[in-house]
Amino acid sequence: MSALNDGSRSVTLRDVAKAAGVSLATASAALAGQGRMAVQTRERIVQTAAELKYSRNPLGYGLRTGRTYAIGLHHVDMIRALNETYLLEFMSGVTQVAHAQDHDVALLSSNSTTPRRNMPRVDGIIVMDPLSDDARARELITSGMPVVSGEFLPAGMPPGIAVTADHATAVREILDHVYADGLRSMLLIAPGSNSGWGEALRETVRTWCDAHGVRAHYGEYDFGEQDADLLERLVEPILRQNPDIDFVLTAGAAGVFGAIGAIHAVGRIPGTDVRLACGADGARLAGAPLFITAVQLPARELGAACAETLLSIVEGDDSALLPVNRTIPAEVIFRQSTQR
Amino acid sequence: MSALNDGSRSVTLRDVAKAAGVSLATASAALAGQGRMAVQTRERIVQTAAELKYSRNPLGYGLRTGRTYAIGLHHVDMIRALNETYLLEFMSGVTQVAHAQDHDVALLSSNSTTPRRNMPRVDGIIVMDPLSDDARARELITSGMPVVSGEFLPAGMPPGIAVTADHATAVREILDHVYADGLRSMLLIAPGSNSGWGEALRETVRTWCDAHGVRAHYGEYDFGEQDADLLERLVEPILRQNPDIDFVLTAGAAGVFGAIGAIHAVGRIPGTDVRLACGADGARLAGAPLFITAVQLPARELGAACAETLLSIVEGDDSALLPVNRTIPAEVIFRQSTQR
């Protein structure tokens, strides 16, 4: 399947766990001679590891395959990434940790016109904001190299280790705040199902709204969309058909501008008739006609945590594989747009 | 000498030219069976190439040593680089060209507490703003990998291929402009002799002032210095001792603020009594109390040209080694600070 022709695919703990039909935690414990499990289970796992030639070397992946002292960084559009504050801060966090441990950081080509010509010469890879339809990301994630995902792995991608901001807690904080002032019906504008972030926001809103008896409507757009006019055309018909909507939550800043345009277009007042909040704070919001409540995403901390997690896997720390998700707190900045 | 322990040091055309005591152009022509030269010269070059096991494979370096499809990027302080617009744009230019040709871009660790543990896994390296006292840069430049320098190689560094902005033409344009309004004596504030840029600015100013009978004074600071107060303390005594100075050219933006402070401190008026210009335009100048004439450095184009040059060397194009310097035009934006 894989177009990678390097041949350096190495067996990971995950391969062993999968082949033995157990969790990563169980596989790790069995091979370390720890944990409570049936003798047969432990034997089956050890047997599987031997068959797959899995080597639990204390110095890990590095010694098995030759360390490069470099980690790779993938984004579906690296050129755009170099122009976006959030992604630059993320990269800066990655680079700070990697360079402090004297590892290079390779910005991997996201030129997806052809498969990669070879495996990147790195010890492990951080995938930024993976999309399920990003063939390059999939190729890297299934390459057998250690991979950490910066933000959610979307459905349809192989499961793996992800470091994410705690969007759920931040969004619930916003919803609780808006609800305290009365909330009947809301609209969430977020990237479509190819984005793990979009799916996570929908899941959080759905669960919260079910629990609070609030109607929820959803609009979806392509991840990374910056065109406010396009988003206005998405939001306006939903507002028109659902005049009870009194709160709009948008994942990104473009959605805020689209929503403001749409709210005006249906003859209502943003912030008063229809409150607003944004899932990602940023400089662009400063251009809005009212101060927007928003989640301050911990970009630098996320990048740093991804690099720390990846480097400890590379250094052979199996425990870094557990837990599969690491969550970084995200602060909500409450502003005018959620106060009636 | 080199602390690099990879062992992949490959013989370059430059090694052959040096050993045979000829120019790169002559060595290249001799090995290609072209050019006019004595038979003995050609034979000596071919003999030298054979002794050094230099391989003039049409696919070049890549096939000889195994391509990684990655290029490395070095800066003395990569973390700072990720926060500076000029350097980010340079990197963006590099990445755009590299990714278009499906090469990764490795941000090389500039952690200089220890020598590198191994050779970076790249096909070639771009060194950004090399300083002669940057041990890591020296290590990379002397590693035997193809290297292109983004801006001047300072004195004391091994000579090599450099892509530079045409600072000389831009600075002469500013000097001609100021001279037309009367210029008796000037001060240049620029980074010290460890910076090739600083040296180039001094050389341009010295030559121009000699030709025009203008007195020139010089102040030097550490490359990358951002502290305007420190630069004010550098400029003030020079202005006090040389009350005839009626123009200050500073390499960077911090120097502009330092100069403005110093001009006020000696009781003169910036822009009227003492005109000002800056060798590198940037957002910081927008905070100055008058609009500053400045050179717009073509950061993105410089990065792109470095990557193009490096990739054509990596692809085996010997002619890319010639000329040794490639120059990118830089525009001067004339503003209020050079108009009396």
Side-chain angles (χ1 to χ4, degrees):
Chain A
M1 252 318 276
S2 168
L4 298 165
N5 55 21
D6 180 90
S8 76
R9 168 74 164 88
S10 76
V11 178
T12 64
L13 184 64
R14 188 174 300 119
D15 297 324
V16 175
K18 199 178 164 192
V22 297
S23 70
L24 273 174
T26 304
S28 175
L31 296 176
Q34 297 160 349
R36 293 181 173 213
M37 63 191 80
V39 176
Q40 296 95 318
T41 306
R42 187 185 304 274
E43 276 176 6
R44 190 174 78 244
I45 296 166
V46 172
Q47 175 70 21
T48 304
E51 282 167 8
L52 294 178
K53 301 205 192 337
Y54 172 73
S55 149
R56 196 176 167 279
N57 190 310
L59 287 172
Y61 181 88
L63 281 196
R64 288 201 306 280
T65 61
R67 287 291 299 276
T68 64
Y69 297 104
I71 60 175
L73 202 51
H74 171 82
H75 184 271
V76 66
D77 185 347
M78 187 55 81
I79 305 303
R80 196 186 78 212
L82 286 168
N83 286 294
E84 275 187 27
T85 308
Y86 169 81
L87 295 167
L88 269 174
E89 285 183 3
F90 183 99
M91 281 190 243
S92 198
V94 168
T95 306
Q96 211 145 7
V97 167
H99 284 195
Q101 299 186 41
D102 214 7
H103 281 67
D104 303 331
V105 176
L107 310 180
L108 302 180
S109 168
S110 50
N111 183 330
S112 56
T113 50
T114 51
R116 277 193 73 89
R117 286 173 292 197
N118 62 8
M119 179 80 107
R121 297 306 202 273
V122 293
D123 296 331
I125 294 171
I126 295 170
V127 177
M128 298 160 73
D129 293 338
L131 300 175
S132 59
D133 49 0
D134 175 0
R136 221 7 119 77
R138 182 177 299 272
E139 204 179 353
L140 295 170
I141 289 172
T142 57
S143 70
M145 300 196 92
V147 172
V148 170
S149 175
E151 286 294 337
F152 302 100
L153 280 158
M157 273 285 182
I161 300 158
V163 178
T164 65
D166 190 356
H167 303 281
T169 300
V171 164
R172 281 192 297 260
E173 224 181 298
I174 294 175
L175 296 176
D176 288 341
H177 177 82
V178 172
Y179 185 74
D181 251 358
L183 172 63
R184 286 181 300 166
S185 176
M186 69 167 284
L187 168 61
L188 170 67
I189 300 294
S193 61
N194 67 339
S195 154
W197 181 38
E199 288 290 274
L201 292 176
R202 275 183 290 278
E203 175 60 22
T204 301
V205 166
R206 188 175 296 119
T207 308
W208 186 95
C209 285
D210 281 354
H212 292 77
V214 169
R215 277 182 298 282
H217 305 273
Y218 303 92
E220 291 185 12
Y221 60 86
D222 281 346
F223 181 81
E225 182 58 60
Q226 302 296 331
D227 182 347
D229 291 343
L230 191 148
L231 293 170
E232 182 176 331
R233 292 194 293 277
L234 169 70
V235 174
E236 191 189 324
I238 305 176
L239 291 183
R240 217 172 273 287
Q241 284 157 35
N242 305 281
D244 60 342
I245 290 175
D246 52 5
F247 174 59
V248 179
L249 174 65
T250 79
V256 167
F257 291 88
I260 289 173
I263 294 166
H264 281 302
V266 300
R268 309 185 69 196
I269 301 167
T272 307
D273 297 337
V274 183
R275 287 156 298 169
L276 272 165
C278 182
D281 201 14
R284 189 172 175 187
L285 290 182
L290 73 169
F291 298 112
I292 306 291
T293 292
V295 181
Q296 221 173 18
L297 297 179
R300 197 174 292 269
E301 291 83 351
L302 275 168
C306 283
E308 278 158 12
T309 305
L310 182 61
L311 286 173
S312 55
I313 296 169
V314 166
E315 299 287 345
D317 177 11
D318 285 347
S319 70
L321 294 168
L322 326 162
V324 170
N325 284 300
R326 186 170 162 190
T327 304
I328 310 291
E331 202 187 340
V332 179
I333 314 290
F334 287 100
R335 302 192 182 100
Q336 183 190 5
S337 69
T338 47
Q339 279 146 17
R340 293 220 227 221
Chain B
M1 256 315 278
S2 167
L4 296 165
N5 55 21
D6 181 89
S8 74
R9 169 73 165 88
S10 77
V11 177
T12 65
L13 184 63
R14 187 172 301 120
D15 297 326
V16 175
K18 198 177 165 193
V22 298
S23 71
L24 272 177
T26 304
S28 176
L31 296 176
Q34 295 159 352
R36 293 179 173 215
M37 64 190 80
V39 176
Q40 295 94 315
T41 307
R42 189 185 302 277
E43 277 176 4
R44 191 176 77 244
I45 295 165
V46 171
Q47 176 70 23
T48 306
E51 281 167 7
L52 294 177
K53 299 204 190 343
Y54 172 72
S55 151
R56 195 175 169 280
N57 190 309
L59 287 173
Y61 180 88
L63 281 196
R64 286 202 305 281
T65 60
R67 287 291 299 277
T68 64
Y69 296 103
I71 60 177
L73 202 51
H74 171 82
H75 184 272
V76 66
D77 185 349
M78 186 56 81
I79 304 303
R80 195 187 79 210
L82 286 168
N83 286 296
E84 274 187 28
T85 308
Y86 169 82
L87 294 167
L88 269 174
E89 284 183 4
F90 183 99
M91 282 190 242
S92 198
V94 169
T95 306
Q96 211 144 8
V97 168
H99 284 194
Q101 299 186 42
D102 214 7
H103 281 66
D104 303 331
V105 175
L107 310 180
L108 302 181
S109 168
S110 49
N111 182 331
S112 56
T113 49
T114 52
R116 278 194 71 89
R117 285 172 291 198
N118 61 7
M119 179 80 107
R121 297 306 202 275
V122 295
D123 297 332
I125 294 172
I126 296 169
V127 177
M128 299 160 73
D129 292 340
L131 299 177
S132 60
D133 49 1
D134 176 1
R136 221 7 119 74
R138 182 177 299 272
E139 203 178 356
L140 295 170
I141 289 172
T142 55
S143 69
M145 301 196 88
V147 171
V148 170
S149 175
E151 284 295 337
F152 302 100
L153 279 157
M157 272 287 182
I161 300 158
V163 178
T164 64
D166 190 357
H167 302 281
T169 301
V171 164
R172 282 192 296 261
E173 225 181 295
I174 293 175
L175 296 175
D176 288 340
H177 177 81
V178 172
Y179 185 73
D181 251 359
L183 172 63
R184 290 181 297 166
S185 176
M186 70 168 282
L187 168 61
L188 170 66
I189 298 295
S193 60
N194 66 337
S195 155
W197 180 39
E199 288 292 272
L201 292 175
R202 274 184 290 277
E203 175 60 26
T204 301
V205 165
R206 187 175 295 121
T207 308
W208 187 95
C209 285
D210 282 353
H212 291 76
V214 168
R215 278 184 296 283
H217 304 273
Y218 303 92
E220 293 185 13
Y221 59 86
D222 281 346
F223 181 82
E225 182 57 64
Q226 303 296 329
D227 182 347
D229 290 344
L230 191 148
L231 293 170
E232 181 176 331
R233 291 194 293 275
L234 169 69
V235 174
E236 193 189 323
I238 305 176
L239 291 184
R240 217 173 272 287
Q241 284 158 35
N242 304 281
D244 60 341
I245 291 175
D246 53 3
F247 173 57
V248 179
L249 175 64
T250 77
V256 168
F257 290 89
I260 290 173
I263 294 165
H264 280 302
V266 299
R268 308 184 70 197
I269 301 166
T272 307
D273 299 336
V274 184
R275 287 155 298 169
L276 273 166
C278 182
D281 201 15
R284 189 171 175 188
L285 290 181
L290 74 170
F291 298 111
I292 307 291
T293 291
V295 181
Q296 223 173 17
L297 297 179
R300 197 175 292 269
E301 292 81 352
L302 276 168
C306 284
E308 278 159 12
T309 305
L310 182 62
L311 286 173
S312 54
I313 296 168
V314 167
E315 298 288 346
D317 177 11
D318 285 347
S319 70
L321 294 169
L322 327 160
V324 170
N325 284 300
R326 187 171 162 190
T327 304
I328 310 290
E331 203 187 339
V332 178
I333 314 290
F334 286 100
R335 303 195 179 99
Q336 183 191 4
S337 69
T338 47
Q339 279 147 17
R340 295 220 226 220

